[in-house]
Amino acid sequence: MADMKTTIKSVSIDLFFKKGYFATSISDIAGGSGIQKASIYYHYASKEDLLFHILTSTMDDLTSALKQGLAAAQGIEQRMRAAVRSHVCFHLERQKENFIANAELRGLTADHYRSIVNKRDEYESIFQDLIRQGTDEGVFADVDVKILSYAILTLCTAGATWYNPNGRLTVDEIADIYENFIISGLKQGRFERPAGR
Amino acid sequence: MADMKTTIKSVSIDLFFKKGYFATSISDIAGGSGIQKASIYYHYASKEDLLFHILTSTMDDLTSALKQGLAAAQGIEQRMRAAVRSHVCFHLERQKENFIANAELRGLTADHYRSIVNKRDEYESIFQDLIRQGTDEGVFADVDVKILSYAILTLCTAGATWYNPNGRLTVDEIADIYENFIISGLKQGRFERPAGR
DNA sequence: CAAAGTTTACCGACCGGTCGTTAGGTAAAA
DNA sequence: TTTTACCTAACGACCGGTCGGTAAACTTTG
């Protein structure tokens, strides 16, 4: 019994994911929602407004999921593991929205673009702080913070591109693989040696 | 004194990169090339044909760069390092085309889409073979070949999204960072220990 | 409690504009 | 005389968005 505004949004997510924002017409969305295209404008001001709503809620949920995931974790390695896991799981569980969020930013007006990029920057900075802390503590190798944060984020983000919910691996299994890969890449050989240096 | 066909292609690459394939009109391309839009059709059969030409040449050059990079390298670790380096450098040096190749596949007809995806699969399989060989030889940890190959490729591909040619780091420096990060992630602690186990 | 007013959620018809593409023509080069 | 490389003009399709209207649901009021 979802209301029409929610239906329109979810139909749009499906279509934007499948065909892309520019290739999806208001008529397509209306047809998928079971109403006439003029009625879309009762619920959303414009096609771009609809895209902006999708991206905003996705980014907000993404960030709050990360903060929630970090709240419980202690110690820099465990915190980074929690962050990676949160990032991966969110992207795989809400694959379509995240795919759109990474592919259709160009559909936004300048103001809305800024708004979303600001949210993304805030999210990224959490990861960058974790990396910085890890290198300061000597747990991670002395890596380039910017590049490595991009690497970690795009790595997991890319999962939303190829992930198949009916595929061979579960979300948790994929998260395990990424977690180990990334932590190894951050440590770069700094594993606890049998004895002193 | 590039001929007009080449000019049109390179103007299209610039515009597809900046505004996206669907948001770029034939008029835009014609304007940027200094001719009328009808004249585009003397050189290319359609807008989609133009996109297909761009993607085909990009994929072909990408694969031959990889094969060339691998020809000189010996030993699985060195071969993987060479592969990563080739991939990173190609993506950063031909940033725009690679960005398009990863973002605009949806603009293709079914036949052309298949053609490009086949080329991409062939390219991926080279990386998958390298990973498989590395795990067989015990140089790399026992990782999931499919996922790790996607990880490696998307990692470097993402570079084409954020790379700034006038930025802080050179292509070679970025390639170094990725090379070490990826090799560490593949080895997952299997570094040569000071002495016997 | 019923009549009157107001709001909600939708519709069909239409608009100006842009799109990719084609037809037919032309002037210079081969 | 044919080919090359472009042009002007126009085509039909489709796009996002607006307009005026309407039936049903709520809210207010006598």
Side-chain angles (χ1 to χ4, degrees):
Chain A
M1 300 304 116
D3 66 354
M4 186 51 68
K5 186 162 184 172
T6 311
T7 302
I8 292 170
K9 189 173 171 182
S10 103
V11 167
S12 299
I13 290 172
D14 282 356
L15 290 174
F16 290 168
F17 176 70
K18 205 193 311 172
K19 317 199 328 175
Y21 174 72
F22 287 107
T24 301
S25 70
I26 295 285
S27 299
D28 291 337
I29 298 168
S33 306
I35 53 171
Q36 293 300 312
K37 75 170 181 169
S39 308
I40 299 284
Y41 291 88
Y42 178 77
H43 299 284
Y44 294 94
S46 66
K47 189 185 178 186
E48 192 263 354
D49 181 51
L50 186 42
L51 177 63
F52 182 60
H53 267 78
I54 293 170
L55 299 190
T56 299
S57 61
T58 303
M59 288 307 299
D60 287 347
D61 292 352
L62 175 67
T63 302
S64 62
L66 176 61
K67 285 179 176 165
Q68 200 182 315
L70 279 175
Q74 283 182 345
I76 188 63
E77 178 172 336
Q78 289 310 313
R79 284 176 68 76
M80 180 56 86
R81 283 184 184 272
V84 169
R85 181 164 289 270
S86 164
H87 186 74
V88 175
C89 292
F90 188 86
H91 274 76
L92 299 191
E93 276 156 13
R94 291 174 63 174
Q95 182 187 25
K96 293 175 188 174
E97 290 162 83
N98 283 292
F99 180 82
I100 297 166
N102 285 289
E104 306 291 8
L105 283 185
R106 276 189 302 215
L108 296 172
T109 62
D111 281 2
H112 286 167
Y113 178 84
R114 261 284 113 222
S115 164
I116 298 294
V117 170
N118 283 345
K119 285 180 195 291
R120 197 189 60 190
D121 287 349
E122 186 202 323
Y123 184 76
E124 276 177 11
S125 76
I126 297 177
F127 277 85
Q128 289 169 3
D129 290 346
L130 287 173
I131 298 174
R132 205 170 288 115
Q133 200 190 330
T135 59
D136 286 353
E137 292 185 13
V139 177
F140 301 154
D142 192 20
V143 296
D144 186 281
V145 174
K146 266 268 166 70
I147 305 260
L148 263 287
S149 70
Y150 294 161
I152 292 168
L153 293 175
T154 52
L155 193 54
C156 308
T157 300
T161 315
W162 55 257
Y163 174 61
N164 173 7
N166 306 316
R168 176 170 56 95
L169 297 169
T170 66
V171 169
D172 267 328
E173 285 166 345
I174 295 171
D176 282 341
I177 294 171
Y178 277 140
E179 210 183 288
N180 288 326
F181 181 72
I182 288 171
I183 292 289
S184 300
L186 282 170
K187 291 189 162 186
Q188 307 220 355
R190 304 207 159 195
F191 291 90
E192 45 299 327
R193 294 290 159 80
R197 61 145 58 231
Chain B
M1 298 300 121
D3 67 353
M4 187 50 69
K5 185 161 184 173
T6 312
T7 301
I8 292 170
K9 188 172 171 182
S10 104
V11 168
S12 300
I13 290 172
D14 282 357
L15 290 174
F16 291 167
F17 176 69
K18 204 194 311 174
K19 318 198 329 175
Y21 174 71
F22 287 107
T24 300
S25 69
I26 295 285
S27 298
D28 292 338
I29 297 168
S33 307
I35 53 172
Q36 294 299 312
K37 71 172 180 171
S39 307
I40 299 285
Y41 291 87
Y42 177 76
H43 299 283
Y44 293 95
S46 65
K47 188 184 178 187
E48 192 263 354
D49 180 52
L50 185 42
L51 177 63
F52 182 60
H53 266 78
I54 293 171
L55 299 189
T56 299
S57 61
T58 304
M59 288 308 299
D60 287 347
D61 293 351
L62 174 67
T63 302
S64 63
L66 175 61
K67 284 179 177 163
Q68 199 182 315
L70 279 175
Q74 282 182 345
I76 189 62
E77 179 173 335
Q78 289 308 314
R79 284 176 68 78
M80 179 56 86
R81 283 183 184 272
V84 169
R85 180 163 290 269
S86 164
H87 187 73
V88 175
C89 292
F90 188 86
H91 274 74
L92 299 190
E93 276 156 15
R94 291 174 64 174
Q95 183 187 24
K96 294 174 187 174
E97 290 162 84
N98 283 293
F99 180 83
I100 297 166
N102 285 290
E104 306 291 8
L105 284 184
R106 276 190 300 216
L108 296 172
T109 62
D111 281 2
H112 287 167
Y113 178 85
R114 260 286 112 224
S115 164
I116 299 294
V117 169
N118 283 344
K119 286 180 194 293
R120 197 188 60 190
D121 288 349
E122 185 203 323
Y123 184 76
E124 276 177 11
S125 77
I126 298 177
F127 277 86
Q128 289 168 3
D129 289 347
L130 287 174
I131 298 174
R132 205 169 288 114
Q133 200 190 329
T135 59
D136 285 354
E137 292 185 13
V139 176
F140 299 154
D142 193 20
V143 295
D144 187 282
V145 174
K146 266 267 166 73
I147 304 262
L148 263 287
S149 71
Y150 293 161
I152 293 168
L153 293 176
T154 53
L155 195 53
C156 308
T157 300
T161 317
W162 55 258
Y163 173 62
N164 173 9
N166 305 315
R168 177 170 54 96
L169 298 169
T170 66
V171 169
D172 266 329
E173 286 166 344
I174 296 171
D176 283 341
I177 294 171
Y178 276 140
E179 210 183 289
N180 289 326
F181 181 73
I182 289 170
I183 292 290
S184 300
L186 283 169
K187 290 189 164 186
Q188 307 221 352
R190 305 205 160 195
F191 289 90
E192 46 299 326
R193 294 290 157 80
R197 57 146 57 232

